[in-house]
Amino acid sequence: MSVHRLEVFVRNRSLFAVSAVAAAAILLAGCGSSDPEPDASADALCAAAAPSGSASEAVTVEGETGEESTATFEFPLEVGELQSSVVTEGEGDPVESGDLVSYALTAYSAETGEELGTLGYEGAEILPAQISADNPIGQIVGCATPGTRVVAAFPASDTNGAEVYVFDLLSVVPDAAWGEEQEPVEGMPDVTLDDDGAPTVTIPDAEAPTEVEIAELKVGDGATVESGDTVLVHYAGVKWSDGEVFDSSWDRDTPATFTTTGVVAGFQQALEGQTVGSQVLVVIPPEFGYGDSEGNELQDETLVFVVDILGTQHAVAAE
């Protein structure tokens, strides 16, 4: 998939699609792993980065990491195999398998030197993605440190010409809300967090509310979630009636992703207008939950969610 199509496609996809599409050329080059048990070891992630080569080393990059780059090279550039060369080394601790990372890229045609597009530099363009030795991002940067910039050269495929990517590993994103803690709201459920940030919810001894009630437990400093955005969240949902957990991304050890308009009305209200890094507590009566879902086991339940907002990807406006 070329970056022309990638630029539109990536903004409307889930976390998992974004991860694959943003480095689609790696998959086209045959570097994806078929191992059903991905290797999470540090050594494996470090070894996953493609080696440097004559094509990636022939590219000169101007611009600071974290900003759109300008790459120049003699073209057509011959790319026989996937190559990755470090332009700028970052600082801090190396990324680890399973980390959520933010990233950005600029892509060029290896045949003509033409810039094909950029992603990730404007904010809220790409969701954070998990890195591992078995996915494309890990195969670009390995166990690099945040702030690292690499040039990756991809050979031609059956559908696309050879391409050059300037890829910036921007940061490691926490997998739990990091915003400023807020005072609890009287009458709302009590929330306690374990060492990983997973919540436990205690329902008050009171009648369930009849309207959606929302409280910010933490207020983040990131982008504002807009209607139609695709969000990356950790969440736990319990029933007001008995405090039983009925769904939790924490139990799956993987954040969830969906559009704000693809969830029940009360959950949508809890997301839109909040900022990335925030933790939100919402109480959703049946009318704003699954009240219209005949036969759903949650049809008559008032639901309580604790939602950690880890990322948002703005929807593309219709032209």
Side-chain angles (χ1 to χ4, degrees), residues 148-163:
T148 294
R149 165 171 282 180
V150 302
V151 169
F154 308 117
S157 70
D158 292 339
T159 55
N160 295 291
E163 293 181 347

Side-chain angles (χ1 to χ4, degrees), residues 56 73-74 125 127 180 196 203 229 305 316:
S56 59
F73 50 89
E74 293 187 6
E125 287 187 302
L127 290 176
E180 183 177 351
D196 294 325
I203 303 298
D229 278 9
F305 285 96
V316 178

Side-chain angles (χ1 to χ4, degrees), residues 23 139 275:
Q139 293 158 8
T275 52

Side-chain angles (χ1 to χ4, degrees), residues 11-314:
R11 299 188 193 186
N12 292 283
R13 301 299 293 174
S14 71
L15 166 68
F16 306 104
V18 167
S19 300
V21 173
I26 287 185
L27 298 180
L28 294 173
C31 294
S33 171
S34 59
D35 185 354
E37 297 288 340
D39 193 336
S41 70
D43 288 345
L45 182 58
C46 293
S52 184
S54 58
S56 59
E57 292 173 0
V59 179
T60 299
V61 182
E62 296 181 358
E64 298 294 325
T65 303
E67 301 176 0
E68 292 185 24
S69 63
T70 301
T72 55
F73 50 89
E74 293 187 6
F75 53 83
L77 184 65
E78 293 186 9
V79 185
E81 60 184 358
L82 175 65
Q83 301 171 18
S84 179
S85 297
V86 175
V87 177
T88 304
E89 291 187 359
E91 299 179 348
D93 296 327
V95 295
E96 298 179 359
S97 183
D99 280 349
L100 287 171
V101 298
S102 63
Y103 61 96
L105 59 89
T106 308
Y108 302 84
S109 167
E111 298 295 322
T112 66
E114 174 191 7
E115 181 181 311
L116 302 176
T118 64
L119 284 170
Y121 293 104
E122 296 299 323
E125 287 187 302
I126 311 175
L127 290 176
Q130 285 185 313
I131 188 171
S132 78
D134 303 278
N135 73 18
I137 297 176
Q139 293 158 8
I140 294 175
V141 297
C143 60
T145 53
T148 294
R149 165 171 282 180
V150 302
V151 169
F154 308 117
S157 70
D158 292 339
T159 55
N160 295 291
E163 293 181 347
V164 171
Y165 281 36
V166 179
F167 188 99
D168 288 353
L169 179 63
L170 300 177
S171 66
V172 174
V173 177
D175 56 8
W178 59 86
E180 183 177 351
E181 293 189 13
Q182 306 296 298
E183 291 294 326
V185 175
E186 185 176 355
M188 292 288 278
D190 181 67
V191 178
T192 58
L193 307 177
D194 68 14
D195 291 342
D196 294 325
T200 297
V201 180
T202 302
I203 303 298
D205 184 14
E207 291 293 323
T210 57
E211 298 291 335
V212 175
E213 295 189 358
I214 299 171
E216 290 82 23
L217 304 181
K218 299 180 181 180
V219 175
D221 55 2
T224 299
V225 178
E226 300 175 357
S227 181
D229 278 9
T230 299
V231 293
L232 177 68
V233 301
H234 254 319
Y235 68 90
V238 307
K239 295 183 290 184
W240 184 285
S241 61
D242 58 11
E244 178 186 350
V245 177
F246 63 86
D247 191 13
S248 174
S249 64
W250 292 97
D251 290 345
R252 296 185 290 275
D253 200 30
T254 302
T257 183
F258 40 74
T259 62
T260 67
T261 52
V263 292
V264 296
F267 207 120
Q268 180 178 356
Q269 291 178 39
L271 291 170
E272 293 177 0
Q274 302 290 346
T275 52
V276 172
S278 296
Q279 184 180 68
V280 182
L281 173 64
V282 58
V283 181
I284 306 174
E287 178 185 356
F288 303 94
Y290 294 97
D292 293 333
S293 300
E294 191 67 35
N296 190 302
E297 63 181 8
L298 300 175
Q299 181 179 5
D300 298 321
E301 295 283 354
T302 294
L303 310 178
V304 180
F305 285 96
V306 179
V307 188
D308 289 30
I309 304 173
L310 309 179
T312 194
Q313 179 179 306
H314 293 331

